[in-house]
Amino acid sequence: KKEKSEITYKGVKYALVFNLNVMENIQEEYGDMGKWIDLTENAEEPSAKAIKYGLTEMINEGIDIYNEEHADDEGFEPRPFFTVKQVGRIITELGLQATTKAIHKTVIDSTKTDEKN
């Protein structure tokens, strides 16, 4: 299912994409999705590292898709990928609470299904 949220940073909109590619990278880094979700949803003190990692994966997947979709456009300049450190600055500017909300919304919206069990 293709669902995405967006964030705006320095006047540019970036899609947040949660798909199988992002899920695989998070699982590889944290063992399983449950552990990563627990680290990012901890009400007392969420893990800054887990938030930065997940958001970096989501933004960079969105950039990758954007670059693929526009590669044949005349005069197209591919968007560069963000480092984890750069994403930390984005989170600082947007606010931790707003960022975690956007991350969780992206994950929830992307994993919703219309299929009947």
Side-chain angles (χ1 to χ4, degrees):
K1 188 171 180 176
K2 191 175 181 178
E3 295 281 347
K4 48 187 172 180
S5 302
E6 291 181 338
I7 60 165
T8 302
Y9 179 66
K10 294 191 176 185
V12 179
K13 288 186 180 187
Y14 295 95
L16 300 182
V17 177
F18 182 81
N19 60 17
L20 198 58
N21 296 328
V22 173
M23 181 185 271
E24 176 185 15
N25 291 340
I26 290 172
Q27 286 174 332
E28 195 172 285
E29 182 72 16
Y30 290 92
D32 64 59
M33 287 301 301
K35 288 178 186 173
W36 176 77
I37 289 169
D38 288 345
L39 288 168
T40 62
E41 289 185 345
N42 184 327
E44 214 171 291
E45 186 174 18
S47 165
K49 181 179 180 177
I51 291 167
K52 286 175 21 179
Y53 184 84
L55 187 62
T56 302
E57 291 297 319
M58 290 178 193
I59 291 173
N60 284 342
E61 182 69 7
I63 289 171
D64 200 26
I65 291 168
Y66 177 87
N67 288 344
E68 286 175 6
E69 290 175 350
H70 294 87
D72 295 331
D73 295 355
E74 189 175 327
F76 174 69
E77 293 278 336
R79 288 182 174 173
F81 295 112
F82 285 103
T83 66
V84 174
K85 192 170 186 174
Q86 290 170 315
V87 170
R89 293 183 191 120
I90 293 171
I91 294 168
T92 300
E93 185 170 310
L94 299 178
L96 186 59
Q97 188 173 21
T99 303
T100 55
K101 233 182 218 183
I103 289 170
H104 294 134
K105 179 184 180 333
T106 302
V107 172
I108 290 166
D109 289 351
S110 297
T111 55
K112 282 183 185 174
T113 181
D114 295 331
E115 296 175 7
K116 293 184 179 184
N117 293 332

